[in-house]
Amino acid sequence: MGDSAVRNGGGVAEGTLLWEPSADRVARARITGFLRWLADRRGLVFTGYDDLWRWSVAHLEDFWSACWSYFEMGDEVDPAEVVRRGTGAEGARWFPGVSLNYVDGILRRPAADLALLAVGEEGEPMAISYGELLDRAGAVAAGLRRLGVGHGDRVAAVLGNGVEAVAGFLATASLGAVWSSCAPEFGAASMTDRFAQIAPKVLLCATGYRYGGRHFDLGPKLADLEGALPGLAAVVLVPGPQEAAAPAGASGQGPARLWWDELASEPAPLAPVAVGFEHPLWILYSSGTTGLPKPIVHGHGGIVLEHLKAAALHSDLGPGDRFFWFTTTGWMMWNFLL
């Protein structure tokens, strides 16, 4: 290629090294700490990232058992017991016999530590501690139990990226129920295409949302969605910050209706139930470019480990760090943000 073909508008040739961390930053990185741990605890020494990566993909059982121990997930797991291989990838069972809950991790955080900083265009930033978040999620979990939500039931949500969505997810997961969410700006047909496949028991839905200074009413979409989900037992309405919560009442012959504050009206501790390593945690969806969106089920244990690995070893995050990703609840990056 000629020189002009390998330069961008800024005049920097492809392959030019733009930045590299200082020696001090490398020494403080979480992945460097993991390398030290592997050397001290497992007698494994690597020459650098590429060497570590090659080992991680060639020796899956050793790598994931190391992650399990490094992130203090519980008792040591023998690498030989990490996976029982079946016929093909779908036949494999990871960490068989292990029980846990995705929510367990936040119970280990000091109650006064900052958990969330949330801000919408209509209000001031809201700081939520781990103690406050646990209190909110515990009350929501108690409300969901009163509505009959339990092990394996699906809870669907049409909520913006905010405190209610996080508390709703934690409450749902703590019960061993399965979470699935759409962004409020989705069309009613797009929501139906997703949720009709999973038969949710409860729907959490915002009454509206603001974007670009405008208010968008979700009433018509909610009516269409309710009609397409005959198995709904209840709809929980989440009012916006400028909206009054009028009596919800019943919805004709359809599901019961109540407001978010009613759902979370009784304080209760958040007490996650232990589920199997592969028990469904949430349902995501493919884009739907060929037919209906395809439901994608992720399990508690696999996502716990993947998120710990991605946060610490890839993103270099640790206690006290802050992470932000601008996303809606209809994109998998919201699940990663959690």
Side-chain angles (χ1 to χ4, degrees):
M1 290 187 297
D3 183 66
S4 62
V6 296
R7 294 181 178 274
N8 63 21
V12 179
E14 288 186 9
T16 300
L17 180 64
L18 300 179
W19 176 86
E20 61 182 331
S22 65
D24 177 65
R25 182 161 182 169
V26 170
R28 290 185 288 107
R30 297 293 305 272
I31 197 167
T32 304
F34 183 55
L35 285 168
R36 287 194 293 265
W37 184 92
L38 288 171
D40 294 342
R41 299 286 294 274
R42 299 291 173 92
L44 297 168
V45 178
F46 301 95
T47 58
Y49 180 88
D50 289 344
D51 196 21
L52 175 64
W53 172 78
R54 281 190 291 270
W55 170 75
S56 74
V57 295
H59 301 276
L60 294 176
E61 294 89 342
D62 296 297
F63 172 71
W64 287 111
S65 70
C67 286
W68 178 271
S69 298
Y70 177 70
F71 292 117
E72 300 179 346
M73 290 296 299
D75 295 338
E76 293 274 342
V77 177
D78 189 322
E81 297 298 321
V82 166
V83 59
R84 292 178 185 168
R85 299 184 183 277
T87 303
E90 294 183 1
R93 290 202 60 201
W94 291 87
F95 290 85
V98 168
S99 295
L100 76 171
N101 193 295
Y102 181 94
V103 181
D104 292 336
I106 71 164
L107 300 180
R108 297 190 284 177
R109 300 291 301 162
D113 281 8
L114 182 65
L116 300 173
L117 276 175
V119 61
E121 62 180 67
E122 71 287 331
E124 295 296 319
M126 179 188 299
I128 305 292
S129 70
Y130 276 96
E132 292 171 316
L133 182 59
L134 289 171
D135 287 345
R136 291 175 184 236
V140 174
L144 291 175
R145 277 196 298 269
R146 291 194 301 273
L147 294 175
V149 174
H151 190 276
D153 289 327
R154 276 76 61 206
V155 174
V158 180
L159 297 173
N161 181 6
V163 177
E164 289 83 5
V166 176
F169 159 71
L170 292 173
T172 299
S174 76
L175 299 173
V178 187
W179 174 266
S180 192
S181 58
C182 284
E185 64 269 21
F186 278 20
S190 294
M191 296 177 189
T192 300
D193 285 347
R194 289 159 174 78
F195 292 158
Q197 298 184 71
I198 68 169
K201 191 166 193 175
V202 171
L203 174 67
L204 312 178
C205 188
T207 57
Y209 66 96
R210 289 184 64 81
Y211 181 75
R214 295 175 55 198
H215 177 78
F216 295 84
D217 179 26
L218 288 178
K221 291 183 185 179
L222 176 57
D224 289 345
L225 192 55
E226 277 190 37
L229 301 175
L232 277 179
V235 174
V236 179
L237 300 173
V238 181
Q242 308 302 325
E243 297 175 282
S251 179
Q253 300 301 312
R257 280 197 173 195
L258 65 159
W259 288 99
W260 178 264
D261 286 348
E262 296 176 84
L263 178 75
S265 61
E266 298 182 14
L270 187 65
V273 300
V275 296
F277 189 88
E278 58 193 22
H279 182 74
L281 172 65
W282 53 43
I283 302 171
L284 283 68
Y285 304 89
S286 67
S287 61
T289 52
T290 55
L292 290 175
K294 311 302 187 293
I296 303 167
V297 181
H298 290 169
H300 279 247
I303 290 299
V304 165
L305 278 180
E306 180 59 35
H307 277 185
L308 286 168
K309 174 182 72 74
L313 304 186
H314 293 289
S315 303
D316 200 31
L317 293 170
D321 290 330
R322 297 181 181 182
F323 176 69
F324 171 75
W325 196 287
F326 188 75
T327 180
T328 75
T329 57
W331 187 26
M332 53 75 58
M333 280 309 304
W334 184 78
N335 304 75
F336 183 83
L337 181 64
L338 286 171

